[in-house]
Amino acid sequence: MDTIRYEIIDRADTLRAALACLKGRRCLALDLEMENQRHHYGLHIALIQISTAEHRNFIFDPLAGLDLTPLNDLFSDNQVELIVHDADFDRRACRQVYGLNLIHVFDTKIAAQLCGFRKFGLASLLQDLLNIQTDKKFQKIDWLKRPLPKEALDYAARDTASLHTLKDILTGKLVELGRLDWAREEFQRAELIEPVPDFMPPHHRIKQSALLTPRQLAILGSLTRLRDDVARSVNRPVHFIIRNDL
């Protein structure tokens, strides 16, 4: 596999240089590496990867204590097209963690589906269209760990570095099929969908909780709140404390 070049943004000087490079770009590839109840409590954005069409690849470290709010201007600028694969969860995470919306997105997953691909995961598309193999083991690592191994950083950078070419290929296929306008409409529709607040208490989501008596359900509710408090205090996923089935 070809060596990929990227810059780690974890200092004030490298942040200023990266922002200067990204300013004025009209198309950026974006990906996030996240931790969501796999190794730690709660949802965290662990890395932010951004690549330009000119092969400048940046990995921003949200754990380095830098002020990353200037990135909000890039993510919310309708003059900047963001290439994202399966933007739904990234969009929800950005709303939850940073309170911002990702707009003007070219979603390569939606594009691939409209092209008729049956395997539209990013790893499958990179393999089938670009002959790039990705190691799925990195999807399960602890992205909050520091320092991260070089192989993990290579994996993170390669995803966004490939998105520009992937977008070009998919755009060509959409044009051939006469479906580019369909894709644009789907991208815009996805941006307008507001997340529906989930008011269901967590213990009501546990399998077979509907079979409990009101008193039993109240006890289950107390147990799940206790589990959540313990999980938060030790920074572990709730299922590490007590599994739902238990």
Side-chain angles (χ1 to χ4, degrees):
M1 187 176 293
D2 294 338
T3 301
I4 183 156
R5 299 181 62 181
Y6 51 86
E7 301 169 55
I8 305 295
I9 310 303
D10 58 2
R11 304 191 316 270
D13 58 336
T14 57
L15 176 61
R16 287 192 297 270
L19 292 174
C21 175
L22 296 173
K23 185 177 180 180
R25 308 279 180 170
R26 287 294 169 255
C27 187
L28 298 171
L30 170 68
D31 189 26
L32 308 175
E33 300 302 339
M34 287 177 275
E35 160 65 29
N36 187 27
Q37 294 283 9
R38 183 179 291 275
H39 303 91
H40 303 272
Y41 177 86
L43 172 66
H44 308 268
I45 295 179
L47 294 178
I48 301 172
Q49 305 100 272
I50 300 178
S51 294
T52 72
E54 296 77 22
H55 309 295
R56 291 291 300 274
N57 305 307
F58 302 97
I59 299 179
F60 293 81
D61 186 356
L63 307 188
L66 300 175
D67 179 12
L68 297 180
T69 53
L71 291 177
N72 294 355
D73 295 334
L74 293 175
F75 298 163
S76 58
D77 185 349
N78 60 15
Q79 298 301 313
V80 179
E81 183 176 55
L82 298 176
I83 311 171
V84 185
H85 186 81
D86 195 5
D88 180 58
F89 187 61
D90 289 356
R91 185 178 281 116
R92 285 187 282 125
C94 282
R95 282 173 175 161
Q96 180 175 330
V97 178
Y98 292 127
L100 72 117
N101 294 322
L102 300 182
I103 68 171
H104 200 192
V105 169
F106 185 105
D107 192 325
T108 51
K109 175 186 175 182
I110 294 175
Q113 289 173 315
L114 289 175
C115 286
F117 285 93
R118 294 187 176 182
K119 295 182 178 179
F120 41 77
L122 183 57
S124 295
L125 292 173
L126 294 179
Q127 172 66 49
D128 295 342
L129 298 178
L130 300 177
N131 196 30
I132 294 176
Q133 291 185 330
T134 57
D135 194 334
K136 292 185 178 181
K137 73 178 183 182
F138 293 114
Q139 297 175 357
K140 298 181 179 180
I141 73 167
D142 182 357
W143 286 105
L144 294 179
K145 182 180 179 180
R146 296 295 184 271
L148 284 165
K150 181 180 182 301
E151 294 80 6
L153 293 170
D154 291 349
Y155 165 88
R158 187 167 280 108
D159 277 357
T160 50
S162 307
L163 283 178
H164 287 277
T165 304
L166 183 60
K167 177 209 168 188
D168 291 342
I169 293 173
L170 292 173
T171 298
K173 291 183 179 294
L174 288 169
V175 170
E176 290 176 8
L177 294 168
R179 297 177 181 176
L180 183 58
D181 287 341
W182 295 6
R184 297 291 184 190
E185 290 174 3
E186 285 298 308
F187 301 157
Q188 293 175 5
R189 184 191 63 80
E191 291 173 12
L192 296 175
I193 296 176
E194 292 290 335
V196 178
D198 186 357
F199 297 111
M200 180 182 289
H203 60 288
H204 281 260
R205 302 191 195 101
I206 294 178
K207 187 177 181 181
Q208 296 186 330
S209 62
L211 303 179
L212 300 179
T213 67
R215 181 175 183 275
Q216 292 170 334
L217 195 60
I219 294 172
L220 180 63
S222 295
L223 284 173
T224 55
R225 289 190 291 274
L226 174 63
R227 177 179 70 170
D228 191 79
D229 290 341
V230 173
R232 184 186 293 107
S233 69
V234 298
N235 190 27
R236 302 293 279 175
V238 292
H239 62 269
F240 277 36
I241 308 304
I242 308 175
R243 301 190 315 274
N244 277 358
D245 58 341
L246 181 59

